[in-house]
Amino acid sequence: MKAFLEEYGIAIFVIACIMILVAMSEPVGKAIQTAVLKTITDFTKTALK
């Protein structure tokens, strides 16, 4: 088991990090989308006055 972790430990760690990023991407993406749409809407309302 020790040899397995020495050999593949970094790969397992990287895969775990990627899985965490993928899991977090949906809520973070929704927050970014909402903020961008609000900014664009506010800008166009100001520009068209």
Side-chain angles (χ1 to χ4, degrees), residues 3-42:
F4 176 81
L5 288 176
E6 287 177 359
E7 186 72 27
Y8 298 107
I10 293 175
I12 293 171
F13 177 74
V14 169
I15 290 170
C17 288
I18 290 172
M19 289 174 60
I20 290 169
L21 289 173
V22 168
M24 290 176 51
S25 67
E26 184 176 351
V28 172
K30 292 287 185 185
I32 292 171
Q33 177 185 7
T34 303
V36 168
L37 288 174
K38 182 183 178 306
T39 302
I40 291 172
T41 303
D42 291 346

